[in-house]
C-alpha cells in the first residue's frame, strides 16, 4: 500500500521538539517500530514521525486502518482525543487541542440544529415552537473545555487570550516553556511591538514585562482598606511574608489556578469511578 500524507493532518498536532524527535529515533533504531501506524483508507493519521524515521532507516513497520472515520472532522477529533490521552504533552498543548475540539463539536451541533429545524418545518405547522428538537451543544462552556483538557477554567481562559492576541513569537515562547501560560497571557495584552521586544530579550525580559503589566493593573485598581493585621505590610509596600505585593499577587493567582486544576481532576476521578461502578454492575 502506498501511504499518503495529508499536510493538514500532519501539521494538526504540535510537532515534536528536536530533542523529542531524536529520542524517538533512538528508540526505534534500538527496539524497532513497536506501535502500528494508523491509517484512514490510505492516508496516514497517526505516526508521521515514526513513518519518517522508518523510511529513512529502512525499518519495517505495521499499519492498522480505522474504519470508523466518516470524514476529515472525524479524523481530527480522533487525533485530538488520542493526544489528550497522552501524559507527555504540555498544559498549553492540552488547552489548544480542547479548544479545537470545541470548534468542531460546536460546528456539528449547529448543523444538527439546522437539520432538525428543517425537518420540523417540513412536518409541523409553522406557528409555535412546540415539539422542536434542539440537540445539546457540547463543550459550550469554559468548564467543559477545561474538563476535557484536565486543566482549570482560568488556564483555558488564558490560553484563549494567547491565541487571540499573542504574536507567533510569544506563542512559540509558551510552547517551548520559556514563559508560563499565566505570564504569557499577561504579556499578550501588550502591543505587538512590545511583545516582540520582550520575546527578543529572553526569559528575564518576558518576566519583567509581565511584572510591569501586573503592576500597572494593580495601580489602576481602586485602593482597598487594609485588613486588620496587614497595615504594616501595606504601608511598607509588601504583600505579606516579606515579599513585594506584586509577587504575592502572582503567587496567589498561581495558587488559584492550581486549586481549580485540582478540582477539575477530582471531578474527572469521580466520573471515572462512577462509570467503573456501572460497568462492574452490568457485568
Amino acid at each position: 500500500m502506498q501511504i499518503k500524507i495529508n499536510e493538514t493532518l500532519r501539521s494538526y498536532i504540535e510537532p515534536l521538539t528536536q530533542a523529542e524527535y531524536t529520542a524517538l529515533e533512538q528508540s526505534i533504531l534500538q527496539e524497532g517500530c513497536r506501535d502500528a501506524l494508523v491509517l484512514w483508507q490510505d492516508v496516514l493519521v497517526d505516526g508521521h514521525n515514526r513513518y519518517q524515521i522508518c523510511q529513512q532507516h529502512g525499518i519495517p513497520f505495521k499499519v492498522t486502518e480505522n474504519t470508523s472515520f466518516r470524514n476529515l472532522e472525524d479524523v481530527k477529533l480522533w487525533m485530538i482525543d488520542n493526544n489528550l490521552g497522552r501524559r507527555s504533552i504540555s498544559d498549553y498543548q492540552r488547552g489548544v487541542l480542547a479548544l479545537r475540539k470545541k470548534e468542531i463539536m460546536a460546528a456539528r451541533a449547529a448543523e444538527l440544529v439546522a437539520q432538525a429545524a428543517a425537518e420540523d418545518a417540513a412536518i409541523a405547522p409553522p406557528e409555535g415552537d412546540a415539539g422542536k428538537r434542539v440537540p445539546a451543544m457540547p463543550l459550550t462552556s469554559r468548564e467543559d473545555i477545561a474538563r476535557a483538557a484536565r486543566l482549570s477554567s482560568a488556564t483555558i481562559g488564558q490560553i484563549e487570550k494567547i491565541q487571540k492576541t499573542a504574536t507567533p513569537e510569544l506563542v512559540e515562547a509558551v510552547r517551548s516553556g520559556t514563559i508560563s501560560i499565566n505570564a504569557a497571557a499577561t504579556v499578550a495584552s501588550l502591543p505587538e511591538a512590545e511583545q516582540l521586544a520582550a520575546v527578543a530579550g529572553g526569559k528575564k525580559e518576558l518576566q519583567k514585562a509581565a511584572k510591569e503589566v501586573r503592576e500597572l493593573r494593580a495601580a489602576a485598581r481602586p485602593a482597598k482598606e487594609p485588613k486588620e493585621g496587614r497595615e504594616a505590610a501595606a504601608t511598607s509596600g509588601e504583600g505579606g511574608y516579606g515579599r513585594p505585593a506584586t509577587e504575592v499577587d502572582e503567587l496567589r493567582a498561581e495558587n488559584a489556578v492550581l486549586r481549580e486544576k485540582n478540582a477539575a481532576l477530582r471531578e474527572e476521578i469521580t466520573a471515572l469511578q462512577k462509570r467503573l461502578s456501572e460497568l462492574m454492575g452490568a457485568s
Side-chain angles (χ1 to χ4, degrees), residues 221-268:
R221 294 192 196 106
K224 293 183 179 180
E225 288 294 328
K227 293 184 179 180
E228 184 179 355
R230 297 184 182 176
E231 287 83 356
T235 55
S236 63
E238 295 181 352
Y241 306 102
R243 296 179 181 271
T246 53
E247 185 177 353
V248 172
D249 290 340
E250 182 175 349
L251 290 172
R252 286 173 178 163
E254 291 179 1
N255 182 51
V257 168
L258 290 173
R259 285 179 179 275
E260 288 195 30
K261 185 174 182 179
N262 184 49
L265 288 172
R266 287 180 180 275
E267 288 183 9
E268 183 180 7

Short mmCIF file of all heavy atoms in Angstrom, two decimals, residues 221-268:
data_model
loop_
_atom_site.label_atom_id
_atom_site.label_comp_id
_atom_site.label_asym_id
_atom_site.label_seq_id
_atom_site.Cartn_x
_atom_site.Cartn_y
_atom_site.Cartn_z
N ARG A 221 -6.31 49.74 39.99
CA ARG A 221 -7.44 49.28 40.80
C ARG A 221 -7.72 50.26 41.93
O ARG A 221 -6.80 50.87 42.47
CB ARG A 221 -7.13 47.91 41.42
CG ARG A 221 -6.99 46.79 40.41
CD ARG A 221 -6.98 45.45 41.14
NE ARG A 221 -6.49 44.39 40.28
CZ ARG A 221 -5.30 43.83 40.38
NH1 ARG A 221 -4.46 44.23 41.32
NH2 ARG A 221 -4.94 42.87 39.56
N PRO A 222 -8.99 50.38 42.29
CA PRO A 222 -9.33 51.25 43.43
C PRO A 222 -8.65 50.75 44.70
O PRO A 222 -8.56 49.55 44.94
CB PRO A 222 -10.85 51.14 43.53
CG PRO A 222 -11.31 50.64 42.20
CD PRO A 222 -10.19 49.80 41.68
N ALA A 223 -8.16 51.67 45.51
CA ALA A 223 -7.49 51.30 46.75
C ALA A 223 -8.48 50.68 47.72
O ALA A 223 -9.62 51.13 47.85
CB ALA A 223 -6.82 52.52 47.38
N LYS A 224 -8.04 49.63 48.42
CA LYS A 224 -8.88 48.96 49.41
C LYS A 224 -8.35 49.24 50.81
O LYS A 224 -7.16 49.45 51.00
CB LYS A 224 -8.88 47.45 49.17
CG LYS A 224 -9.56 47.04 47.88
CD LYS A 224 -9.58 45.52 47.76
CE LYS A 224 -10.28 45.08 46.48
NZ LYS A 224 -10.30 43.60 46.37
N GLU A 225 -9.28 49.24 51.73
CA GLU A 225 -8.88 49.42 53.12
C GLU A 225 -8.06 48.21 53.56
O GLU A 225 -8.46 47.08 53.35
CB GLU A 225 -10.12 49.55 54.02
CG GLU A 225 -10.86 50.85 53.86
CD GLU A 225 -10.05 52.03 54.34
OE1 GLU A 225 -9.26 51.86 55.28
OE2 GLU A 225 -10.19 53.12 53.75
N PRO A 226 -6.90 48.42 54.16
CA PRO A 226 -6.09 47.27 54.60
C PRO A 226 -6.81 46.50 55.69
O PRO A 226 -7.45 47.07 56.58
CB PRO A 226 -4.82 47.92 55.13
CG PRO A 226 -5.20 49.31 55.49
CD PRO A 226 -6.27 49.71 54.50
N LYS A 227 -6.72 45.18 55.63
CA LYS A 227 -7.34 44.34 56.64
C LYS A 227 -6.54 44.40 57.93
O LYS A 227 -5.37 44.72 57.95
CB LYS A 227 -7.41 42.89 56.14
CG LYS A 227 -8.36 42.71 54.95
CD LYS A 227 -8.47 41.26 54.57
CE LYS A 227 -9.45 41.09 53.41
NZ LYS A 227 -9.56 39.67 53.02
N GLU A 228 -7.23 44.06 59.01
CA GLU A 228 -6.60 44.09 60.33
C GLU A 228 -5.37 43.19 60.34
O GLU A 228 -5.41 42.06 59.88
CB GLU A 228 -7.60 43.61 61.38
CG GLU A 228 -7.07 43.71 62.81
CD GLU A 228 -8.09 43.26 63.83
OE1 GLU A 228 -9.23 42.95 63.43
OE2 GLU A 228 -7.72 43.22 65.01
N GLY A 229 -4.31 43.71 60.83
CA GLY A 229 -3.08 42.93 60.92
C GLY A 229 -2.18 43.08 59.71
O GLY A 229 -1.08 42.54 59.69
N ARG A 230 -2.65 43.83 58.67
CA ARG A 230 -1.84 43.98 57.46
C ARG A 230 -1.43 45.42 57.20
O ARG A 230 -0.92 45.75 56.15
CB ARG A 230 -2.63 43.46 56.24
CG ARG A 230 -2.93 41.97 56.33
CD ARG A 230 -3.61 41.48 55.08
NE ARG A 230 -3.95 40.07 55.19
CZ ARG A 230 -4.62 39.39 54.27
NH1 ARG A 230 -5.02 40.01 53.16
NH2 ARG A 230 -4.89 38.11 54.44
N GLU A 231 -1.73 46.29 58.17
CA GLU A 231 -1.41 47.70 57.97
C GLU A 231 0.08 47.91 57.74
O GLU A 231 0.50 48.69 56.88
CB GLU A 231 -1.87 48.53 59.18
CG GLU A 231 -3.37 48.71 59.28
CD GLU A 231 -4.04 47.52 59.94
OE1 GLU A 231 -3.32 46.53 60.23
OE2 GLU A 231 -5.26 47.55 60.16
N ALA A 232 0.89 47.20 58.50
CA ALA A 232 2.34 47.38 58.37
C ALA A 232 2.82 46.94 57.01
O ALA A 232 3.65 47.61 56.37
CB ALA A 232 3.07 46.59 59.46
N ALA A 233 2.28 45.82 56.53
CA ALA A 233 2.68 45.32 55.21
C ALA A 233 2.23 46.28 54.12
O ALA A 233 2.95 46.53 53.16
CB ALA A 233 2.09 43.94 54.96
N ALA A 234 1.02 46.85 54.28
CA ALA A 234 0.51 47.76 53.26
C ALA A 234 1.34 49.03 53.18
O ALA A 234 1.66 49.52 52.10
CB ALA A 234 -0.96 48.10 53.56
N THR A 235 1.72 49.58 54.33
CA THR A 235 2.49 50.82 54.33
C THR A 235 3.92 50.61 53.88
O THR A 235 4.57 51.52 53.38
CB THR A 235 2.50 51.44 55.74
OG1 THR A 235 2.99 50.47 56.68
CG2 THR A 235 1.10 51.87 56.14
N SER A 236 4.44 49.38 54.02
CA SER A 236 5.82 49.11 53.60
C SER A 236 5.90 48.66 52.16
O SER A 236 6.98 48.39 51.64
CB SER A 236 6.44 48.02 54.49
OG SER A 236 5.74 46.80 54.33
N GLY A 237 4.72 48.53 51.50
CA GLY A 237 4.72 48.12 50.09
C GLY A 237 4.86 46.63 49.92
O GLY A 237 5.20 46.15 48.85
N GLU A 238 4.63 45.85 51.01
CA GLU A 238 4.76 44.41 50.91
C GLU A 238 3.40 43.76 51.00
O GLU A 238 2.46 44.30 51.58
CB GLU A 238 5.66 43.88 52.03
CG GLU A 238 7.10 44.38 51.94
CD GLU A 238 7.96 43.81 53.05
OE1 GLU A 238 7.39 43.17 53.95
OE2 GLU A 238 9.18 44.00 53.01
N GLY A 239 3.31 42.57 50.42
CA GLY A 239 2.06 41.84 50.41
C GLY A 239 2.01 40.77 51.47
O GLY A 239 1.18 39.90 51.44
N GLY A 240 2.91 40.78 52.42
CA GLY A 240 2.95 39.76 53.45
C GLY A 240 4.13 38.83 53.24
O GLY A 240 4.65 38.68 52.14
N TYR A 241 4.59 38.20 54.29
CA TYR A 241 5.68 37.25 54.24
C TYR A 241 6.97 37.87 53.70
O TYR A 241 7.84 37.18 53.19
CB TYR A 241 5.31 36.03 53.37
CG TYR A 241 4.03 35.38 53.81
CD1 TYR A 241 2.85 35.61 53.10
CD2 TYR A 241 3.99 34.58 54.95
CE1 TYR A 241 1.66 35.04 53.53
CE2 TYR A 241 2.80 34.00 55.36
CZ TYR A 241 1.64 34.22 54.64
OH TYR A 241 0.48 33.66 55.03
N GLY A 242 7.09 39.19 53.78
CA GLY A 242 8.31 39.86 53.36
C GLY A 242 8.50 39.93 51.86
O GLY A 242 9.59 40.22 51.39
N ARG A 243 7.45 39.64 51.08
CA ARG A 243 7.57 39.67 49.62
C ARG A 243 6.90 40.92 49.06
O ARG A 243 5.94 41.42 49.65
CB ARG A 243 6.91 38.44 48.99
CG ARG A 243 7.57 37.13 49.37
CD ARG A 243 6.81 35.97 48.72
NE ARG A 243 7.38 34.68 49.06
CZ ARG A 243 8.35 34.09 48.37
NH1 ARG A 243 8.86 34.69 47.33
NH2 ARG A 243 8.81 32.90 48.74
N PRO A 244 7.34 41.42 47.89
CA PRO A 244 6.66 42.55 47.25
C PRO A 244 5.23 42.19 46.92
O PRO A 244 4.91 41.03 46.65
CB PRO A 244 7.49 42.75 45.96
CG PRO A 244 8.81 42.14 46.25
CD PRO A 244 8.54 41.00 47.18
N ALA A 245 4.35 43.19 46.94
CA ALA A 245 2.93 42.94 46.72
C ALA A 245 2.66 42.26 45.39
O ALA A 245 1.83 41.37 45.28
CB ALA A 245 2.16 44.27 46.80
N THR A 246 3.37 42.68 44.33
CA THR A 246 3.12 42.09 43.01
C THR A 246 3.49 40.62 42.98
O THR A 246 2.81 39.81 42.35
CB THR A 246 3.93 42.83 41.94
OG1 THR A 246 5.31 42.88 42.34
CG2 THR A 246 3.42 44.24 41.75
N GLU A 247 4.54 40.23 43.65
CA GLU A 247 4.94 38.82 43.68
C GLU A 247 3.93 37.99 44.44
O GLU A 247 3.59 36.87 44.07
CB GLU A 247 6.32 38.67 44.31
CG GLU A 247 6.86 37.24 44.26
CD GLU A 247 8.26 37.14 44.83
OE1 GLU A 247 8.86 38.18 45.14
OE2 GLU A 247 8.73 35.99 44.96
N VAL A 248 3.42 38.55 45.54
CA VAL A 248 2.40 37.85 46.32
C VAL A 248 1.15 37.65 45.48
O VAL A 248 0.53 36.58 45.48
CB VAL A 248 2.07 38.63 47.60
CG1 VAL A 248 0.87 38.01 48.31
CG2 VAL A 248 3.27 38.63 48.54
N ASP A 249 0.75 38.69 44.74
CA ASP A 249 -0.42 38.58 43.87
C ASP A 249 -0.23 37.47 42.84
O ASP A 249 -1.15 36.70 42.55
CB ASP A 249 -0.68 39.91 43.15
CG ASP A 249 -1.17 40.99 44.10
OD1 ASP A 249 -1.66 40.63 45.19
OD2 ASP A 249 -1.05 42.18 43.77
N GLU A 250 0.97 37.39 42.29
CA GLU A 250 1.25 36.37 41.29
C GLU A 250 1.18 34.97 41.90
O GLU A 250 0.60 34.05 41.32
CB GLU A 250 2.64 36.60 40.68
CG GLU A 250 2.99 35.59 39.58
CD GLU A 250 4.31 35.92 38.91
OE1 GLU A 250 4.85 37.03 39.16
OE2 GLU A 250 4.81 35.07 38.16
N LEU A 251 1.74 34.82 43.10
CA LEU A 251 1.69 33.53 43.77
C LEU A 251 0.26 33.14 44.11
O LEU A 251 -0.13 31.97 43.99
CB LEU A 251 2.55 33.57 45.05
CG LEU A 251 4.06 33.65 44.84
CD1 LEU A 251 4.76 33.88 46.17
CD2 LEU A 251 4.58 32.38 44.19
N ARG A 252 -0.54 34.13 44.53
CA ARG A 252 -1.94 33.84 44.82
C ARG A 252 -2.69 33.41 43.57
O ARG A 252 -3.52 32.50 43.60
CB ARG A 252 -2.60 35.07 45.44
CG ARG A 252 -2.19 35.33 46.90
CD ARG A 252 -2.73 36.64 47.38
NE ARG A 252 -2.40 36.86 48.79
CZ ARG A 252 -2.45 38.04 49.38
NH1 ARG A 252 -2.83 39.11 48.69
NH2 ARG A 252 -2.14 38.17 50.66
N ALA A 253 -2.39 34.07 42.44
CA ALA A 253 -3.06 33.71 41.18
C ALA A 253 -2.68 32.30 40.76
O ALA A 253 -3.54 31.51 40.33
CB ALA A 253 -2.67 34.71 40.08
N GLU A 254 -1.40 31.96 40.89
CA GLU A 254 -0.96 30.61 40.53
C GLU A 254 -1.60 29.57 41.46
O GLU A 254 -1.96 28.48 41.04
CB GLU A 254 0.55 30.52 40.60
CG GLU A 254 1.25 31.34 39.51
CD GLU A 254 2.76 31.25 39.60
OE1 GLU A 254 3.26 30.55 40.50
OE2 GLU A 254 3.44 31.87 38.76
N ASN A 255 -1.72 29.93 42.75
CA ASN A 255 -2.35 29.03 43.70
C ASN A 255 -3.81 28.78 43.33
O ASN A 255 -4.31 27.65 43.41
CB ASN A 255 -2.26 29.61 45.11
CG ASN A 255 -2.85 28.69 46.16
OD1 ASN A 255 -2.53 27.52 46.23
ND2 ASN A 255 -3.73 29.23 47.00
N ALA A 256 -4.50 29.84 42.90
CA ALA A 256 -5.90 29.70 42.50
C ALA A 256 -6.03 28.80 41.27
O ALA A 256 -6.95 27.97 41.18
CB ALA A 256 -6.51 31.08 42.22
N VAL A 257 -5.10 28.96 40.32
CA VAL A 257 -5.12 28.13 39.12
C VAL A 257 -4.92 26.66 39.48
O VAL A 257 -5.61 25.77 38.99
CB VAL A 257 -4.02 28.59 38.13
CG1 VAL A 257 -3.83 27.57 37.02
CG2 VAL A 257 -4.40 29.94 37.53
N LEU A 258 -3.97 26.39 40.38
CA LEU A 258 -3.70 25.02 40.80
C LEU A 258 -4.90 24.42 41.53
O LEU A 258 -5.21 23.23 41.37
CB LEU A 258 -2.46 24.98 41.70
CG LEU A 258 -1.13 25.24 40.99
CD1 LEU A 258 0.00 25.35 42.01
CD2 LEU A 258 -0.82 24.13 39.99
N ARG A 259 -5.58 25.25 42.34
CA ARG A 259 -6.77 24.76 43.05
C ARG A 259 -7.87 24.37 42.05
O ARG A 259 -8.53 23.34 42.22
CB ARG A 259 -7.29 25.84 44.01
CG ARG A 259 -6.45 25.99 45.28
CD ARG A 259 -7.01 27.10 46.16
NE ARG A 259 -6.24 27.26 47.37
CZ ARG A 259 -6.43 26.54 48.48
NH1 ARG A 259 -7.39 25.62 48.50
NH2 ARG A 259 -5.70 26.74 49.56
N GLU A 260 -8.07 25.20 41.03
CA GLU A 260 -9.08 24.90 40.02
C GLU A 260 -8.72 23.63 39.25
O GLU A 260 -9.57 22.81 38.93
CB GLU A 260 -9.25 26.08 39.06
CG GLU A 260 -9.94 27.28 39.68
CD GLU A 260 -10.40 28.28 38.64
OE1 GLU A 260 -10.71 27.84 37.51
OE2 GLU A 260 -10.44 29.48 38.93
N LYS A 261 -7.43 23.49 38.93
CA LYS A 261 -6.98 22.31 38.20
C LYS A 261 -7.21 21.06 39.05
O LYS A 261 -7.64 20.02 38.54
CB LYS A 261 -5.50 22.45 37.84
CG LYS A 261 -4.96 21.32 36.97
CD LYS A 261 -3.55 21.61 36.53
CE LYS A 261 -3.04 20.51 35.62
NZ LYS A 261 -1.65 20.76 35.16
N ASN A 262 -6.93 21.16 40.35
CA ASN A 262 -7.13 20.04 41.25
C ASN A 262 -8.60 19.66 41.33
O ASN A 262 -8.97 18.48 41.35
CB ASN A 262 -6.60 20.40 42.64
CG ASN A 262 -6.69 19.23 43.61
OD1 ASN A 262 -6.27 18.13 43.31
ND2 ASN A 262 -7.19 19.49 44.80
N ALA A 263 -9.46 20.69 41.35
CA ALA A 263 -10.90 20.43 41.40
C ALA A 263 -11.38 19.72 40.13
O ALA A 263 -12.21 18.80 40.19
CB ALA A 263 -11.66 21.75 41.60
N ALA A 264 -10.84 20.15 38.99
CA ALA A 264 -11.21 19.51 37.72
C ALA A 264 -10.78 18.05 37.70
O ALA A 264 -11.51 17.17 37.22
CB ALA A 264 -10.59 20.27 36.54
N LEU A 265 -9.59 17.75 38.21
CA LEU A 265 -9.11 16.38 38.27
C LEU A 265 -9.97 15.52 39.20
O LEU A 265 -10.25 14.36 38.90
CB LEU A 265 -7.64 16.36 38.73
CG LEU A 265 -6.61 16.85 37.72
CD1 LEU A 265 -5.24 16.97 38.38
CD2 LEU A 265 -6.54 15.91 36.53
N ARG A 266 -10.39 16.12 40.33
CA ARG A 266 -11.25 15.39 41.25
C ARG A 266 -12.59 15.04 40.60
O ARG A 266 -13.12 13.94 40.79
CB ARG A 266 -11.48 16.22 42.52
CG ARG A 266 -10.26 16.29 43.44
CD ARG A 266 -10.57 17.12 44.67
NE ARG A 266 -9.42 17.20 45.55
CZ ARG A 266 -9.12 16.30 46.46
NH1 ARG A 266 -9.87 15.21 46.60
NH2 ARG A 266 -8.05 16.45 47.24
N GLU A 267 -13.14 15.97 39.82
CA GLU A 267 -14.39 15.71 39.12
C GLU A 267 -14.22 14.58 38.12
O GLU A 267 -15.08 13.71 37.97
CB GLU A 267 -14.86 16.98 38.40
CG GLU A 267 -15.39 18.06 39.33
CD GLU A 267 -15.91 19.25 38.56
OE1 GLU A 267 -16.01 19.15 37.32
OE2 GLU A 267 -16.22 20.28 39.17
N GLU A 268 -13.08 14.58 37.43
CA GLU A 268 -12.82 13.54 36.44
C GLU A 268 -12.69 12.17 37.11
O GLU A 268 -13.22 11.17 36.64
CB GLU A 268 -11.54 13.85 35.66
CG GLU A 268 -11.25 12.84 34.57
CD GLU A 268 -9.98 13.18 33.81
OE1 GLU A 268 -9.28 14.11 34.22
OE2 GLU A 268 -9.70 12.48 32.83
#
